[in-house]
């Protein structure tokens, strides 16, 4: 026996027809996976804060010339009048920090540290984004092929992943970047060094995301919608890119966000070791390498590049964790 419904008097007096018309007028709308994930992400204040910081960093990198023209000086311009000739240290407290030099000046050269931090964001983000793009494209395509076709194709690609994962990447990067001349492949200068770093970081890191995509594809190829596509006569490439790939967007997006900070750190490490972008082009890792010899007289020379790397990596990690929880709340 069921309990009686408690209806308001207006609904009782109006009759069932009016109630049905009112229910039909308020249509029920479904939400897609993206909308549900966005709702969860908006409730995660830490992840949203990381996303805001990332947007600000991208805007700073894009509008670096405009920002420097307002608040700083050209990054390669020397200001020897700001350096004490006796000890080759910045004149003034805290490394020469003032309204004209917001982060102070570099020892020996007197270059504006604020301007070099801003321009360094361009190099770090550019290399990290393009290396991640190359890594994601290779890992996604090869992982999907290995997981979907299986057999000897899966064996070859999986063994290639094992070889790349066992490869001493840092040693190889040091050797390759050290032997490449200043002019090669029709490129020279910063263009050559940036392209080389993008290739090294992106090409040798694809097995990490490739294994994730392979595992997801192995599960998706057994789903009902894939069988339905096969029964309708769809070819393999259509099933891969029309049925399976859209269901891999969430793990690709999450892993890409977590991969970018790793690439930023790797680029900073290569620049710190002297095989990254050549001076005087400013990079955060290169500035840290130069600061090692001057941290005792100008600690801000090491502090600000280190903070830039720390804040950038932390922001991407926070956003990546938030995206992972938004797309897969059961994984918390």
């Amino acid at each position: 026996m069921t309990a009686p419904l408690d209806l308001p008097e207006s609904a009782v007096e109006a009759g069932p027809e009016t109630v049905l018309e009112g229910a039909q007028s308020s249509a029920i709308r479904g939400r897609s996976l993206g909308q549900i994930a966005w709702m969860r992400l908006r409730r995660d204040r830490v992840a949203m804060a990381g996303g805001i910081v990332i947007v600000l960093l991208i805007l700073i990198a894009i509008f670096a010339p405009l920002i420097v023209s307002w608040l700083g000086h050209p990054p390669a311009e020397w200001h020897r009048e700001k350096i004490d000739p006796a000890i080759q240290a910045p004149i003034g407290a805290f490394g020469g920090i003032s309204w004209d030099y917001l982060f102070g000046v570099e020892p020996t050269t007197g270059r504006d540290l604020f301007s070099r931090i801003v321009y360094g964001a361009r190099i770090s983000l550019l290399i990290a984004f393009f290396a991640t793009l190359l890594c994601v494209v290779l890992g996604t395509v090869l992982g999907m092929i290995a997981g979907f076709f299986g057999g000897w194709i899966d064996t070859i690609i999986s063994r290639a992943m094992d070889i790349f994962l066992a490869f001493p990447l840092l040693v190889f990067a040091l050797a390759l970047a050290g032997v490449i001349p200043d002019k090669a492949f029709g490129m020279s200068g910063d263009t050559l060094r940036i392209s080389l770093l993008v290739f090294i970081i992106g090409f040798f890191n694809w097995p990490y995301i490739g294994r994730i995509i392979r595992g997801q594809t192995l599960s998706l190829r057994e789903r009902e919608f894939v069988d339905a596509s096969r029964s309708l006569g769809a070819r393999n490439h259509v099933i891969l890119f029309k049925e399976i790939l859209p269901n891999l967007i969430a793990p690709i997006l999450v892993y890409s966000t977590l991969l970018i900070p790793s690439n930023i750190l790797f680029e900073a490490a290569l620049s710190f070791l002297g095989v990254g972008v050549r001076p005087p082009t400013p990079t955060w890792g290169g500035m840290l390498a130069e600061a090692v010899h001057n941290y005792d007289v100008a600690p801000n020379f090491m502090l600000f590049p280190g903070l830039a790397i720390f804040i950038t990596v932390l922001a991407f990690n926070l956003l990546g964790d938030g995206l992972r929880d938004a797309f897969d709340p059961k994984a918390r």
Side-chain angles (χ1 to χ4, degrees):
M1 185 174 182
T2 59
L5 296 175
D6 294 330
L7 298 175
E9 295 182 0
S10 58
V12 176
E13 295 175 358
E17 294 81 4
T18 306
V19 175
L20 289 175
E21 290 178 1
Q24 293 174 356
S25 62
S26 58
I28 300 175
R29 292 180 299 175
R31 294 188 178 95
S32 65
L33 176 61
Q35 291 174 328
I36 296 173
W38 172 242
M39 291 176 59
R40 295 180 184 140
L41 184 63
R42 283 191 305 177
R43 290 196 292 265
D44 191 342
R45 296 183 179 180
V46 176
M48 292 300 293
I52 293 172
V53 172
I54 292 171
V55 172
L56 290 177
L57 287 170
I58 294 174
L59 292 176
I60 289 173
I62 294 174
F63 298 104
L66 184 62
I67 295 173
V68 168
S69 66
W70 287 348
L71 302 175
H73 304 268
E77 186 176 274
W78 288 29
H79 301 274
R80 298 302 297 269
E81 71 278 3
K82 298 295 181 181
I83 302 299
D84 187 344
I87 59 176
Q88 294 296 310
I91 299 175
F94 306 107
I97 292 179
S98 64
W99 288 110
D100 293 330
Y101 301 90
L102 298 179
F103 290 171
V105 297
E106 288 185 353
T108 308
T109 63
R111 291 179 297 195
D112 188 359
L113 191 56
F114 172 78
S115 301
R116 295 182 66 77
I117 292 291
V118 171
Y119 271 88
R122 282 186 151 189
I123 301 297
S124 295
L125 293 179
L126 181 67
I127 293 176
F129 283 146
F130 279 99
T132 302
L133 178 62
L134 177 61
C135 176
V136 167
V137 170
L138 289 176
T140 300
V141 173
L142 294 176
M144 288 172 56
I145 293 174
F148 183 77
F149 291 101
W152 63 270
I153 297 178
D154 184 21
T155 302
I156 293 176
I157 295 178
S158 297
R159 296 297 77 78
M161 291 182 185
D162 295 335
I163 293 173
F164 275 93
L165 290 174
F167 208 80
L169 179 56
L170 182 58
V171 176
F172 177 78
L174 291 173
L176 182 61
V179 300
I180 295 295
D182 293 334
K183 290 184 179 180
F185 313 112
M187 297 179 290
S188 62
D190 291 343
T191 304
L192 175 61
R193 307 304 297 185
I194 291 174
S195 301
L196 182 62
L197 291 176
V198 168
F199 172 76
I200 293 174
I201 298 173
F203 183 74
F204 289 94
N205 278 328
W206 68 265
Y208 294 99
I209 190 171
R211 282 190 165 184
I212 295 175
I213 299 303
R214 175 184 174 274
Q216 294 287 332
T217 305
L218 286 172
S219 175
L220 289 172
R221 73 176 185 178
E222 307 297 334
R223 301 286 292 273
E224 292 81 2
F225 61 87
V226 174
D227 293 335
S229 296
R230 285 199 185 97
S231 65
L232 293 174
R235 297 184 178 180
N236 289 332
H237 70 276
V238 176
I239 297 175
L240 275 173
F241 293 100
K242 292 292 184 68
E243 302 293 342
I244 294 180
L245 182 59
N247 290 279
L248 296 173
I249 295 299
I252 291 173
L253 182 61
V254 171
Y255 191 79
S256 300
T257 311
L258 296 174
L259 189 62
I260 290 175
S262 300
N263 292 340
I264 291 176
L265 289 175
F266 195 81
E267 181 275 329
L270 292 178
S271 298
F272 181 83
L273 294 173
V275 294
V277 179
R278 302 283 174 82
T281 302
T283 62
W284 292 342
M287 295 172 68
L288 283 176
E290 296 175 6
V292 170
H293 308 289
N294 301 283
Y295 71 91
D296 53 341
V297 296
N300 61 312
F301 191 20
M302 178 176 287
L303 174 64
F304 289 115
L307 279 178
I309 296 173
F310 171 75
I311 292 173
T312 304
V313 171
L314 180 62
F316 275 104
N317 282 330
L318 293 177
L319 179 61
D321 290 339
L323 286 173
R324 181 181 57 196
D325 294 338
F327 282 107
D328 188 12
K330 296 180 181 179
R332 292 186 178 182

